[in-house]
Amino acid sequence: MMPITLIISIPLIAAFIILFLRNDKSVKYISFISSLIVFIISVIMFINFDSSKGFNFTEKYMWIKALNIHYYVGADTLSLLMILLTNFIMPVSILSSYNYIKKDIKKYYIWLLILQSAIIGVFVSLDTFLFYIFWEAMLVPMYFLIGMWGGENRIYATIKFFIYTMAASLLMLAGIIFTYINLKNSGINSFEIFDFYKNTLIGKTQIFVFISFLIAFAVKIPLFPLHTWLPDAHVEAPTAVSVILAGVLLKMGVYGYIRFLIPMFPTLSHQIAPYISAVGVFGVIYASLMAWVQKDIKKLVAYSSVAHMGLIVLGVFSFNPEALSGAILQMINHGISTGGLFLMIGILYERTHTRLMENYGGIFKTVPFIATFFMIVTLSSIAVPSTNGFVGEILIFLGSFKSHRILTILAISGVILGAVYMLMAYEKIFFGKIEKDENKKILDLTIREWLYLIPVVIMIFWIGVFPNIFLSKIQVFVSSFLK
Amino acid sequence: MLSKSFLYSTTFGTLIILILSSFFSLFYWLYSKKKSEAITEIIIFLLLFAFAFSFSHSPFYGSFGDTYTQTVLNNLLTSFVILLTITSIISSSDLMSKNLKYGEYYFLLLISLTSSILLINTQNIFNMFISVELLSMSLYGLTGFNKNDKNLEASFKYFMLGSFASVFMILSLVFLYIGLGSLSLVDIKNSLAISGPNPYINIGMLLFMSGFIFKLALVPMHSWAVDVYWGAPTNVSMFMISGVKLSIVVALYRLFSSYTTSVVIYAMYAFIVLSIVIPNLIALYSKDIKKIIIYSSISHAGYIAISFLGTENWQAYFYAIIYSISVIGVFSVIMFLEKNFKDLNYENIKGLYHSKPSIAISLLIFLFSLSGVPPFSGFFAKFYSFYNAVNGGFKWLVVIAVLTSALSLYYYLKILIPAFMKDAEKRDYEGTVCNYAVIYLTAAATLLLGILSNPIIELIKNSI
């Protein structure tokens, strides 16, 4: 069995089949079914996973002989959790775009499926070159998904997104080449990630490579002050793309830190950790304040996303088991809760075609179910106990307090701000008096929407109450990682 | 002496076929009373024959005192240049039907193809000079072929500046002959290895290389290229940027690698930096699609030259091959657009994706490949080239190169935006089957040759 190749290729095959379909309905069904199959396969992978073995399901074939590049894939706990998150979010976002996308339906699903396969590729590559290919290939579908199905200002947003990420990644390409040449000169002709850990870079070159990796991943996270593309991209993107962007794409930056930057440059990472954590915490506070003053609910959630990611960076750069496990768990939590928030905003937007909070107000009674689900994901996002967000954040703070005391205290104040702006936004939308007549006629959830919201809610409480199913595996990974 | 083995060699045979067909095309046109359009098919058939012939291997030979040597690599490149010519003829087959002077056109085209092949196969500086002159002469004619003002202006500019470059090349021959007494590249290489750099040879080689750098249009010797490639008929520009450029890259690389002194390296370094920075900056402000592609072609010559500086030598060939394929594709798309739009301003191609998705997707593949986004083949070519330069110790050059490729993204994306993201009413587009076929084929090649680059690399590596 080659489960990883299977989950990379199934979306591509589905996209290829869709290319020849003429019926919009079958396009939707096929893309949903393929994403469901991929999800089931990844759940089976999770069940069969042996965390003591390190990398499971490895496959290795020669690809480019001249440079000793391999098609080398495999999954450890971190990869597997990310795959699971991706493949959980994918069917949800495909279901959520059934009504939202009205033009060029076929092409939309083709791009979405190509995106899925590229994302999975990023998380499973164990060859740096292969990783880079997937890392950048993912930008192409994103570019078209935002640029073709986005809002008014979509072209500006998509170009900004593309050039921002691409410029940073191209610098990383130079860094990858430098490292490879360094390895080659010391007798290791290989692009494997594990061999990259053995680099003997020194001096200016080392600092260049380090910074190139640091920035390439920081843009994706996005770390303050490289976050400016994110609010634009989020506001313009269609719902499903926002969900994927917040849910999965932002995690790639942190994934890159854990997979590449820290193991490749342990000393430099430790030296720079206080500064990066400070930048992360500053991002938490800055983004929270920015979110507070937003009128557009989608932009508010986008800024809250920046804040959460800053917290995760703090967790990663604390270098102790609690904080790191918290950060990894929080990556999943953030995917689910922010993804859920974007889903809810999409549901409201489909009905009212506005994202400004002032146009809502008092709709709790008209749409009680929407309001309930919105409340649950909001609570999860502000980390109320018994939801998933709480477990992750408390672990991060427990760990980071050991390493960076003042920063942790500041970060906690950022979390309080988070509760303030999220609850205020909720109040503006759902409570008060109905001032607009059209708001009285908003329809409540349809069956399809129930179908994809229920799993999200289940995940929120499941991780909130029984985090151990994930944490036990994360801890094995973390203890071996920190060695 | 013309040895027996040369007469039996494939290169010789290929050249004979090409020369005979070029004269056939000329005389057929001059003396036949019924001027039939079928000559295009006949020429394609003859070229296919030459292609098949060049593909068959014959034993290694050297003749005219090692002036021409047949290696597997030369054979490979010869067949590839013929293939490029065939595809460009097929792609532009209908453009010519409006202009019934096939005889001259194919004569000039085949003569320039012949001289490109001579250029690829030769090891002697004098022969390089002769072939590049013959090549330029026929290109001057081709550039002004349609005889409208734009063409003639381009042709005249090309002729004036090109002859200026030739003068320097002749001067360099004098210097080289004084310094060494031989014009063979092998002798030059040996003399460098034995007695180190010699001022006469230094000056001579620099002058001769600058002639080739002029023909390759690296900055600051690029200003003719913009006018000529833009002013020439699109099918001629396509041929010039793909096949001709490939042969010039091969010749320049041979010159460079047989005389790699520090002066030459620094000169090349400067040319490369200028060529990858300046055209990319100018293209940002350009609105004409054809002009953007032409500026990008200048910067790509710079990216190809980056791989000259490394320690391995297959990268430059790989880049040139991949690049010329995408050029055939992108110029075929431009030809298609020229048929449907009067003005090639990129804003005009609004809604191309909705009316003609296959062409728009092909354009996307070419532009992403040119800008170096994986998994398209242009990325692999750039990656190998950068890798080679770092291997040769040119780290900061590669940093500049990645930054300029990030810059270049903007103008490639700029073309794609109206084509994909702006709505326009559906309209009909006219195009020919041949044109479409070439576009689809090259798009498929551009998409796949990167991912499947291993066999190509092995082929090139084993043939060097």
Side-chain angles (χ1 to χ4, degrees):
Chain A
M1 271 298 282
M2 314 175 291
I4 288 180
T5 306
L6 210 60
I7 57 173
I8 294 178
S9 50
I10 285 176
L12 285 181
I13 294 167
F16 192 71
I17 293 171
I18 287 174
L19 201 61
F20 299 102
L21 293 179
R22 284 171 187 276
N23 183 350
D24 284 342
K25 230 176 192 172
S26 49
V27 168
K28 289 172 182 172
Y29 285 141
I30 287 192
S31 44
F32 177 67
I33 289 169
S34 95
S35 66
L36 207 61
I37 294 173
V38 172
F39 176 65
I40 291 168
I41 294 176
S42 43
V43 169
I44 295 173
M45 277 166 72
F46 185 75
I47 294 167
N48 290 331
F49 183 75
D50 177 7
S51 53
S52 61
K53 244 170 52 181
F55 282 91
N56 293 21
F57 316 112
T58 49
E59 294 166 42
K60 190 173 181 180
Y61 308 102
M62 180 57 88
W63 185 16
I64 294 159
K65 221 169 140 193
L67 274 74
N68 205 14
I69 294 169
H70 291 87
Y71 172 80
Y72 185 20
V73 292
D76 64 349
T77 311
L78 182 65
S79 310
L80 194 70
L81 288 177
M82 289 299 116
I83 297 170
L84 211 55
L85 176 68
T86 313
N87 295 337
F88 172 73
I89 283 183
M90 218 55 208
V92 168
S93 40
I94 284 176
L95 267 185
S96 78
S97 33
Y98 271 18
N99 265 351
Y100 190 91
I101 301 301
K102 295 220 161 60
K103 64 167 191 182
D104 291 336
I105 291 172
K106 193 164 111 175
K107 292 155 191 165
Y108 174 84
Y109 289 99
I110 290 178
W111 285 124
L112 212 57
L113 289 168
I114 294 176
L115 178 66
Q116 181 184 15
S117 127
I119 294 173
I120 298 172
V122 168
F123 290 130
V124 296
S125 306
L126 296 182
D127 185 288
T128 318
F129 186 78
L130 187 68
F131 167 82
Y132 187 81
I133 298 267
F134 282 123
W135 173 267
E136 296 237 312
M138 187 198 69
L139 295 181
V140 180
M142 275 307 279
Y143 175 69
F144 288 104
L145 283 169
I146 298 176
M148 290 177 66
W149 291 274
E152 290 279 290
N153 209 359
R154 58 183 189 270
I155 290 169
Y156 170 75
T158 193
I159 284 224
K160 196 170 173 183
F161 162 74
F162 195 93
I163 291 190
Y164 233 109
T165 7
M166 187 79 185
S169 330
L170 274 168
L171 274 180
M172 182 169 77
L173 177 67
I176 290 175
I177 297 175
F178 289 5
T179 317
Y180 172 65
I181 298 284
N182 169 275
L183 285 175
K184 208 179 168 196
N185 291 341
S186 51
I188 312 169
N189 179 12
S190 158
F191 267 97
E192 273 174 40
I193 290 179
F194 315 115
D195 289 324
F196 265 51
Y197 297 166
K198 296 177 199 149
N199 70 78
T200 50
L201 292 162
I202 41 159
K204 266 188 202 163
T205 321
Q206 187 191 24
I207 291 176
F208 173 83
V209 176
F210 180 73
I211 290 180
S212 71
F213 276 81
L214 187 74
I215 291 182
F217 297 134
V219 167
K220 259 290 178 353
I221 288 181
L223 209 56
F224 178 87
L226 300 169
H227 66 283
T228 54
W229 61 270
L230 183 78
D232 287 315
H234 264 316
V235 169
E236 301 304 331
T239 303
V241 178
S242 280
V243 174
I244 296 167
L245 185 60
V248 189
L249 260 62
L250 305 188
K251 309 301 171 303
M252 286 182 182
V254 182
Y255 175 83
Y257 279 163
I258 301 177
R259 181 70 78 226
F260 288 91
L261 190 83
I262 297 171
M264 270 173 72
F265 307 100
T267 342
L268 272 181
S269 308
H270 273 91
Q271 281 168 1
I272 209 172
Y275 306 105
I276 291 283
S277 313
V279 170
V281 171
F282 185 78
V284 173
I285 295 167
Y286 168 84
S288 305
L289 291 174
M290 284 300 281
W292 198 347
V293 296
Q294 295 305 322
K295 289 177 177 162
D296 183 329
I297 175 74
K298 214 169 176 186
K299 217 166 194 167
L300 184 146
V301 178
Y303 274 110
S304 91
S305 204
V306 178
H308 282 129
M309 294 311 287
L311 213 59
I312 293 175
V313 170
L314 173 71
V316 171
F317 280 90
S318 297
F319 295 116
N320 59 47
E322 294 87 354
L324 191 57
S325 341
I328 293 172
L329 188 66
Q330 189 65 4
M331 278 158 80
I332 298 168
N333 294 340
H334 176 256
I336 292 166
S337 59
T338 310
L341 278 173
F342 280 119
L343 285 175
M344 297 314 299
I345 295 166
I347 289 172
L348 283 177
Y349 183 80
E350 265 176 46
R351 290 164 168 75
T352 57
H353 297 281
T354 174
R355 288 186 304 256
L356 295 179
M357 288 182 273
E358 63 200 31
N359 292 342
Y360 294 96
I363 57 172
F364 191 94
K365 275 182 189 157
T366 23
V367 285
F369 287 120
I370 293 183
T372 315
F373 278 109
F374 206 120
M375 193 71 227
I376 294 170
V377 285
T378 306
L379 292 179
S380 143
S381 169
I382 60 181
V384 167
S386 90
T387 64
N388 57 353
F390 177 74
V391 187
E393 285 193 2
I394 198 80
L395 277 171
I396 292 178
F397 291 136
L398 277 177
S400 69
F401 193 70
K402 288 184 203 161
S403 322
H404 317 288
R405 292 200 173 186
I406 300 170
L407 285 178
T408 309
I409 294 167
L410 286 173
I412 291 175
S413 72
V415 174
I416 296 168
L417 281 176
V420 173
Y421 63 76
M422 283 312 300
L423 291 176
M424 274 173 66
Y426 189 82
E427 186 203 322
K428 276 186 205 162
I429 293 175
F430 291 101
F431 296 143
K433 273 186 183 167
I434 296 189
E435 277 163 8
K436 297 198 170 168
D437 282 342
E438 64 262 30
N439 281 348
K440 286 179 186 159
K441 290 176 229 150
I442 303 177
L443 297 173
D444 214 336
L445 294 176
T446 63
I447 295 176
R448 179 176 55 85
E449 285 157 352
W450 275 98
L451 210 61
Y452 65 76
L453 286 176
I454 293 272
V456 173
V457 171
I458 290 177
M459 285 310 286
I460 287 175
F461 287 116
W462 191 18
I463 301 179
V465 181
F466 308 107
N468 237 16
I469 183 164
F470 294 119
L471 270 180
S472 58
K473 285 190 174 161
I474 291 173
Q475 268 156 358
V476 178
F477 168 78
V478 164
S479 57
S480 72
F481 177 78
L482 286 175
K483 269 177 207 158
Chain B
M1 263 308 291
L2 202 63
S3 60
K4 202 180 173 192
S5 61
F6 181 67
L7 285 176
Y8 288 118
S9 77
T10 49
T11 319
F12 183 71
T14 316
L15 287 172
I16 293 290
I17 296 171
L18 289 176
I19 293 170
L20 285 180
S21 5
S22 68
F23 279 98
F24 159 75
S25 124
L26 187 65
F27 288 123
Y28 171 80
W29 205 252
L30 285 177
Y31 296 113
S32 123
K33 282 187 184 137
K34 238 178 78 190
K35 295 185 184 352
S36 138
E37 288 182 21
I39 188 164
T40 309
E41 280 91 35
I42 299 173
I43 293 292
I44 291 174
F45 177 75
L46 287 170
L47 278 175
L48 277 175
F49 185 55
F51 173 70
F53 200 85
S54 68
F55 230 108
S56 60
H57 288 284
S58 69
F60 178 86
Y61 73 87
S63 55
F64 291 116
D66 284 343
T67 302
Y68 290 98
T69 41
Q70 177 173 350
T71 60
V72 184
L73 179 71
N74 288 352
N75 253 353
L76 200 72
L77 292 169
T78 306
S79 0
F80 186 67
V81 171
I82 297 175
L83 194 64
L84 285 177
T85 314
I86 295 173
T87 43
S88 62
I89 289 177
I90 292 175
S91 177
S92 59
S93 54
D94 71 306
L95 278 188
M96 280 296 128
S97 61
K98 288 171 198 154
N99 183 327
L100 291 170
K101 282 174 301 188
Y102 304 99
E104 289 170 41
Y105 175 72
Y106 289 121
F107 175 70
L108 289 172
L109 195 72
L110 290 178
I111 289 293
S112 51
L113 174 62
T114 312
S115 36
S116 310
I117 292 173
L118 281 172
L119 196 56
I120 288 173
N121 284 287
T122 184
Q123 287 283 359
N124 183 295
I125 288 201
F126 188 72
N127 280 44
M128 278 189 177
F129 174 71
I130 296 290
S131 352
V132 89
E133 274 307 285
L134 186 61
L135 180 62
S136 307
M137 286 300 166
S138 43
L139 290 180
Y140 300 148
L142 282 173
T143 307
F145 195 72
N146 281 350
K147 295 203 178 94
N148 55 33
D149 288 351
K150 204 167 126 186
N151 285 176
L152 289 176
E153 188 194 326
S155 172
F156 189 67
K157 268 183 190 159
Y158 193 13
F159 176 65
M160 291 305 287
L161 291 168
S163 9
F164 200 63
S166 310
V167 171
F168 281 105
M169 285 161 104
I170 295 176
L171 183 64
S172 73
L173 294 184
V174 176
F175 274 108
L176 285 173
Y177 205 75
I178 291 174
L180 192 67
S182 157
L183 290 176
S184 159
L185 279 181
V186 182
D187 289 344
I188 290 174
K189 201 170 187 173
N190 289 340
S191 89
L192 183 68
I194 295 163
S195 52
N198 159 327
Y200 284 111
I201 308 181
N202 245 342
I203 296 173
M205 282 307 277
L206 273 176
L207 280 176
F208 197 72
M209 268 189 233
S210 60
F212 269 88
I213 285 171
F214 173 87
K215 298 287 177 200
L216 188 62
L218 289 181
V219 182
M221 301 195 196
H222 69 293
S223 51
W224 64 272
V226 184
D227 291 333
V228 171
Y229 294 152
W230 191 69
T234 310
N235 47 341
V236 176
S237 317
M238 173 161 81
F239 176 67
M240 282 200 276
I241 302 185
S242 58
V244 173
K245 208 162 205 170
L246 180 88
S247 61
I248 289 173
V249 164
V250 171
L252 180 63
Y253 189 31
R254 233 163 240 166
L255 287 168
F256 181 82
S257 48
S258 50
Y259 197 74
T260 326
T261 60
S262 57
V263 183
V264 173
I265 289 179
Y266 283 123
M268 196 51 109
Y269 197 106
F271 280 123
I272 291 172
V273 171
L274 288 173
S275 324
I276 58 180
V277 174
I278 291 173
N280 279 331
L281 285 176
I282 301 174
L284 291 180
Y285 295 98
S286 194
K287 290 209 155 182
D288 185 299
I289 297 178
K290 198 171 165 187
K291 262 201 177 137
I292 293 178
I293 298 299
I294 288 165
Y295 277 115
S296 103
S297 84
I298 296 170
S299 70
H300 273 279
Y303 289 123
I304 296 177
I306 288 178
S307 50
F308 291 1
L309 298 172
T311 47
E312 294 170 26
N313 48 10
W314 50 270
Q315 284 90 345
Y317 299 112
F318 183 79
Y319 200 125
I321 287 172
I322 293 293
Y323 178 66
S324 44
I325 293 173
S326 351
V327 162
I328 295 272
V330 84
F331 269 89
S332 302
V333 174
I334 288 176
M335 256 186 268
F336 166 81
L337 294 175
E338 271 178 344
K339 244 172 266 164
N340 295 293
F341 298 100
K342 268 188 186 160
D343 175 14
L344 277 189
N345 189 323
Y346 71 95
E347 302 267 1
N348 286 354
I349 58 168
K350 256 188 273 189
L352 179 68
Y353 181 55
H354 301 286
S355 314
K356 200 83 192 150
S358 51
I359 297 289
I361 294 273
S362 310
L363 184 65
L364 174 155
I365 292 174
F366 298 133
L367 293 183
F368 272 129
S369 169
L370 289 177
S371 59
V373 175
F376 305 103
S377 55
F379 165 74
F380 287 81
K382 262 187 189 164
F383 175 78
Y384 299 143
S385 166
F386 292 168
Y387 149 75
N388 200 20
V390 177
N391 212 359
F394 294 89
K395 278 180 191 161
W396 302 112
L397 180 66
V398 170
V399 174
I400 299 172
V402 295
L403 288 177
T404 54
S405 5
L407 191 70
S408 72
L409 264 177
Y410 179 73
Y411 59 79
Y412 291 117
L413 294 185
K414 197 168 77 174
I415 300 177
L416 291 178
I417 284 166
F420 279 80
M421 297 170 191
K422 294 211 170 130
D423 294 328
E425 280 186 16
K426 277 203 176 184
R427 53 168 285 185
D428 289 331
Y429 286 93
E430 52 172 306
T432 58
V433 180
C434 294
N435 189 243
Y436 289 156
V438 171
I439 292 175
Y440 298 151
L441 267 178
T442 45
T446 311
L447 181 63
L448 295 176
L449 286 186
I451 301 169
L452 308 175
S453 57
N454 192 38
I456 302 170
I457 295 171
E458 292 303 313
L459 192 65
I460 298 173
K461 266 179 86 173
N462 293 334
S463 63
I464 287 172

